[in-house]
């Protein structure tokens, strides 16, 4: 049994079902990310773990103890909010010391711990400032310091970096990971940013439409996703439909418009309709050393853009309704729009799944 | 429900209070003949409270929910959340909306004239009857001129100037406090 167990949790808001029987097991000292698109129920799940919402059915268990009905102040969890929720009428020092004062610690101990948190997050010298006098990054660090200083058994983070600019987000992401490793706190991190989840988490739960699609390590989910949605959601991908013409050991041969390609097979049989997910990276126009690990896509270039670190190409395959997005290395020659092109795509970046109608429809609508 | 008194004309409230208290509190604390001041205070509260309630309510609901949740998350119970977070945040707004209360009351005529004039009455004993300042200004203004000393018109003008200064001061303080309150809440 995990340190935190989420057992078959269902939550409705009126007629909307936010969570449809979610179960998770989170280990002690783990940084666990809940990743999914907007409206998938990830924040609702976090709020249920925090005690701000009560599930309609199901249980939340901390170290074997059912806490489903316990109010947030009795759970030993602390939450860091998306907008940081600093109290504007209190100074940085007072914000950080608040939780310690609630615990009625001696004044010297409070001072010692607040200074520890200030040092830890590089906030020394800002003790007397009010939140309104701080930058976004500083406010975010105060919110973290306020949460960490009480040494919670679980730290819950609801997209805490999403309101920051890209550069700062990247820096604080690294700091957060370092802190988690250093302090060994169990963290549950909610985000819609796949890069953030991949770089931070020990394990990720991918959510869609109120259910957990898949749980696994970032490497596992990215390189070998067992579900169509996970494959499509992680990375720069294109989803197209094809027909399975043959199956081999772990691969399937798929008729894609007028061409045939190979892909890793996730439970398809001959004659099935395949939802093929093609990851953009790793493609090349150069003949690879081990052609067996690649499949070839042939088509006409409809878009070609030099991005800097790569060349973005969209390939129109005859008979296929949708162009395939591919990233070529920037040292290759930028293909001309309208030219015929042969691209080698690593087999590990081609995954074929049974075509789940709902997901395929969503993906095609978004395209 | 707090808005219901607004639907009642002042005169209706005044006569209702008069009938009710003269029947159930005769010679008592709320006797409208003996203690019209007590009934007046009650009438003012009921008549004008809704403005205050509405404005305080608006301030409270403007406080971001996350501020309260962050406090609860750190281990505070609901009562402490209200005392340490909600009240300090809305305090300026509460004071700001309470301050204009006396201004409303100064301009409250119908209730004051009806209930306030019961004790003594403007003719029988003008020194004891209770009327709003605006009514008093009008009464003093229409008094006949005197030989020597301050003219009643001048006294009325002085009273009017005093009223205006008080009102302007209260409005200025209230606006300033309301701005500070809003600045805190919307941070």
């Amino acid at each position: 049994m995990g340190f935190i167990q989420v057992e078959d949790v269902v939550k409705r808001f009126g007629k909307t079902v936010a969570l449809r029987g979610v179960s998770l097991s989170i280990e002690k000292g783990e940084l666990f990310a809940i990743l999914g698109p907007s409206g998938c129920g990830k924040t609702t799940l976090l709020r249920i773990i925090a005690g701000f919402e009560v599930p309609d059915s199901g249980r939340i268990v901390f170290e074997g103890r059912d806490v489903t009905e316990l109010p947030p102040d009795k759970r030993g969890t602390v939450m860091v909010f998306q907008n940081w929720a600093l109290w504007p009428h209190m100074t940085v020092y007072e914000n950080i010391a608040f939780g310690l004062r609630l615990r009625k610690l001696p004044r010297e101990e409070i001072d010692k711990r607040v200074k520890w948190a200030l040092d830890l997050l590089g906030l020394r010298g800002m003790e007397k400032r009010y939140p309104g006098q701080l930058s976004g990054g500083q406010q975010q660090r105060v919110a973290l310091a306020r949460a960490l200083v009480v040494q919670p058994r679980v730290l819950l983070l609801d997209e805490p970096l999403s309101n920051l600019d890209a550069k700062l987000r990247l820096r604080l992401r690294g700091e957060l990971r370092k802190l988690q490793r250093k302090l060994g706190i169990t963290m549950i991190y909610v985000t819609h940013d796949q890069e953030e989840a991949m770089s931070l988490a020990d394990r990720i739960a991918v959510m869609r439409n109120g259910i957990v699609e898949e749980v696994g390590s970032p490497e596992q989910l990215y390189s070998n996703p067992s579900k169509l949605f996970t494959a499509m959601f992680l990375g720069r991908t294109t989803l197209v439909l094809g027909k399975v013409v043959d199956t081999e050991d772990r691969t399937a041969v798929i008729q894609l418009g007028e061409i045939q390609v190979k892909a890793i097979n996730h439970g398809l049989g001959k004659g099935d309709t395949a939802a093929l997910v093609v990851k953009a990276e790793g493609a090349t126009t150069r003949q690879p050393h081990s052609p067996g690990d690649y499949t070839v896509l042939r088509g006409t270039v409809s878009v070609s853009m030099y991005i800097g670190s790569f060349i973005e190409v969209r390939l129109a395959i005859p008979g296929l309704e949708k162009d395939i997005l591919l990233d070529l290395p920037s040292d290759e020659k930028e293909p001309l729009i309208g030219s015929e092109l042969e691209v080698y795509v690593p087999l590990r970046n081609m995954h074929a799944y049974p075509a789940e109608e709902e997901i395929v429809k969503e993906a095609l609508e978004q395209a | 429900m707090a808005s219901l008194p607004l639907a009642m004309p002042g005169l209706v409230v005044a006569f209702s209070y008069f009938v009710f208290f003269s029947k159930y509190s005769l010679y008592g604390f709320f006797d409208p003949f003996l203690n019209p001041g007590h009934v007046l205070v009650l009438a003012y509260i009921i008549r004008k409270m809704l403005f205050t309630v509405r404005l305080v309510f608006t301030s409270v609901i403007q406080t971001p929910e996350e501020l309260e949740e962050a406090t609860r998350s750190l281990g505070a119970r609901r009562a402490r959340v209200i005392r340490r977070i909600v009240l300090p945040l809305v305090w300026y707004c509460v004071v700001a909306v309470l301050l204009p209360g006396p201004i409303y009351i100064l301009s409250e005529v119908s209730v004051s004239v009806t209930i306030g004039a019961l004790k003594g009455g403007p003719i029988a004993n003008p020194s004891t009857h209770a009327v709003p300042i605006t009514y008093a200004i009008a009464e003093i203004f229409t008094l006949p001129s005197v030989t020597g000393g301050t003219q009643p018109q001048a006294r009325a003008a002085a009273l009017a100037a005093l009223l205006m200064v008080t009102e302007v001061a209260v409005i200025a303080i209230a606006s300033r406090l309301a701005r500070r309150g809003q600045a805190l809440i919307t941070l």
Side-chain angles (χ1 to χ4, degrees):
Chain A
M1 184 179 260
F3 181 61
I4 298 169
Q5 291 283 132
V6 177
E7 295 176 3
D8 202 19
V9 165
V10 174
K11 180 70 185 175
R12 291 182 191 84
F13 294 105
K15 285 180 182 168
T16 310
V17 187
L19 298 173
R20 307 161 188 266
V22 169
S23 296
L24 287 173
S25 179
I26 297 158
E27 300 303 325
K28 194 170 185 173
E30 188 175 29
L31 202 164
F32 190 89
I34 301 172
L35 173 68
S38 300
C40 70
K42 53 191 189 299
T43 295
T44 304
L45 178 59
L46 193 75
R47 290 176 61 79
I48 286 175
I49 296 171
F52 293 122
E53 306 281 354
V54 179
D56 296 326
S57 64
R59 296 197 316 157
I60 304 293
V61 179
F62 285 1
E63 293 179 286
R65 185 182 169 216
D66 187 344
V67 297
T68 317
E69 301 287 335
L70 270 190
D73 49 291
K74 300 249 185 309
R75 294 199 178 194
T77 58
V78 174
M79 188 151 160
V80 177
F81 293 83
Q82 193 170 3
N83 60 2
W84 316 309
L86 298 179
W87 303 301
H89 59 298
M90 292 188 196
T91 61
V92 167
Y93 187 99
E94 288 165 340
N95 262 281
I96 299 173
F98 186 84
L100 301 172
R101 286 185 178 139
L102 279 179
R103 283 157 183 77
K104 296 191 167 58
L105 293 182
R107 186 175 294 200
E108 301 74 41
E109 178 64 17
I110 292 175
D111 196 52
K112 200 174 119 191
R113 286 224 222 160
V114 171
K115 283 176 179 158
W116 167 82
L118 288 167
D119 286 338
L120 188 72
L121 287 143
L123 291 164
R124 266 297 169 116
M126 296 176 195
E127 299 91 317
K128 289 180 183 164
R129 291 200 202 167
Y130 285 89
Q133 298 168 316
L134 301 175
S135 70
Q138 288 164 341
Q139 287 191 48
Q140 199 274 343
R141 279 185 276 150
V142 175
L144 266 178
R146 183 178 68 177
L148 289 170
V149 80
V150 298
Q151 297 170 359
R153 60 175 172 172
V154 183
L155 185 60
L156 308 170
L157 302 116
D158 185 10
E159 309 213 26
L161 307 181
S162 65
N163 287 341
L164 302 173
D165 63 68
K167 213 170 173 182
L168 192 58
R169 200 159 59 223
L170 212 64
R171 192 163 66 81
L172 287 175
R173 195 193 288 171
E175 284 180 21
L176 195 64
R177 185 61 180 146
K178 250 186 352 204
L179 265 177
Q180 195 271 339
R181 286 265 187 272
K182 191 171 167 185
L183 304 172
I185 293 176
T186 309
M187 286 190 189
I188 305 179
Y189 193 103
V190 158
T191 180
H192 67 274
D193 182 337
Q194 46 164 302
E195 205 180 291
E196 201 165 281
M198 304 279 273
S199 59
L200 273 173
D202 296 311
R203 282 193 307 147
I204 301 171
V206 179
M207 282 189 74
R208 180 187 70 90
N209 204 12
I211 56 166
V212 172
E213 282 277 339
E214 200 173 347
V215 180
S217 68
E219 300 78 24
Q220 190 185 338
L221 293 181
Y222 192 78
S223 56
N224 195 22
S226 64
K227 293 288 189 74
L228 170 61
F229 180 78
T230 316
M232 212 187 65
F233 190 70
L234 298 179
R236 284 158 56 80
T237 57
T238 311
L239 186 141
V240 282
L241 293 179
K243 203 76 157 174
V244 180
V245 290
D246 198 8
T247 57
E248 289 163 19
D249 184 22
R250 277 189 64 239
T251 58
V253 179
I254 295 160
Q255 187 70 43
L256 207 61
E258 292 175 11
I259 64 166
Q260 286 191 350
V261 295
K262 258 175 135 183
I264 295 170
N265 186 2
H266 293 270
L268 289 163
K270 202 171 167 182
D272 288 349
T273 301
L276 177 71
V277 178
V278 183
K279 282 196 191 327
E281 84 260 13
T284 176
T285 52
R286 292 182 190 133
Q287 176 87 36
H289 295 300
S290 49
D293 295 337
Y294 287 77
T295 192
V296 182
L297 297 180
R298 284 184 200 89
T300 312
V301 177
S302 62
V303 175
S304 176
M305 288 188 289
Y306 180 78
I307 305 293
S309 56
F310 60 90
I311 302 163
E312 183 180 310
V313 169
R314 285 181 191 270
L315 200 64
I317 291 171
L320 201 65
E321 75 284 1
K322 201 167 145 192
D323 297 353
I324 292 180
L325 173 73
L326 296 163
D327 296 341
L328 301 176
S330 55
D331 60 347
E332 289 188 13
K333 196 179 163 209
E334 189 181 339
L336 293 170
I337 294 172
S339 63
E340 295 296 314
L341 195 67
E342 201 172 80
V343 184
Y344 297 90
V345 180
L347 207 53
R348 63 168 197 278
N349 288 347
M350 305 279 286
H351 292 264
Y353 302 84
E356 289 175 58
E357 197 181 334
E358 199 184 333
I359 299 173
V360 170
K361 200 175 149 204
E362 267 175 37
L364 295 176
E365 274 170 6
Q366 280 168 13
Chain B
M1 289 297 279
S3 306
L4 276 182
L6 198 62
M8 292 284 163
L11 278 174
V12 175
V13 174
F15 279 112
S16 310
Y17 277 27
F18 171 72
V19 172
F20 181 83
F21 289 117
S22 59
K23 187 170 179 186
Y24 293 105
S25 188
L26 202 59
Y27 305 116
F29 187 75
F30 283 118
D31 184 331
F33 295 104
L34 293 174
N35 303 310
H38 298 167
V39 187
L40 272 177
V41 169
L42 187 71
Y44 290 151
I45 289 171
I46 299 296
R47 290 267 298 157
K48 300 301 178 189
M49 189 174 62
L50 75 110
F51 296 110
T52 311
V53 169
R54 283 265 168 240
L55 290 167
V56 171
F57 179 69
T58 309
S59 312
V60 172
I61 59 167
Q62 274 184 339
T63 312
E65 208 177 338
E66 287 89 356
L67 296 184
E68 297 172 42
E69 288 180 343
T71 322
R72 294 215 71 195
S73 168
L74 279 165
R77 290 186 182 180
R78 203 170 286 276
R80 194 183 284 258
V81 175
I82 292 169
R83 195 161 50 83
R84 294 294 310 275
I85 305 300
V86 179
L87 276 183
L89 284 177
V90 302
W91 183 244
Y92 288 115
C93 288
V94 171
V95 174
V97 298
L98 285 178
L99 271 177
I103 301 291
Y104 293 142
I105 289 164
L106 285 174
S107 61
E108 170 64 68
V109 177
S110 52
V111 170
S112 314
V113 171
T114 313
I115 298 176
L118 289 168
K119 188 176 178 183
I123 297 154
N125 189 356
S127 62
T128 59
H129 78 286
V131 291
I133 193 165
T134 44
Y135 185 86
I137 290 168
E139 262 197 339
I140 295 168
F141 191 80
T142 51
L143 287 175
S145 304
V146 292
T147 324
T150 313
Q151 290 301 320
Q153 288 77 10
R155 279 168 53 209
L159 210 52
L162 196 66
L163 176 64
M164 281 193 292
V165 168
T166 313
E167 284 183 343
V168 167
V170 170
I171 289 165
I173 296 167
S175 308
R176 205 179 166 82
L177 287 173
R179 266 205 304 277
R180 274 180 87 170
Q182 286 304 314
L184 276 181
I185 286 172
T186 53
L187 255 173

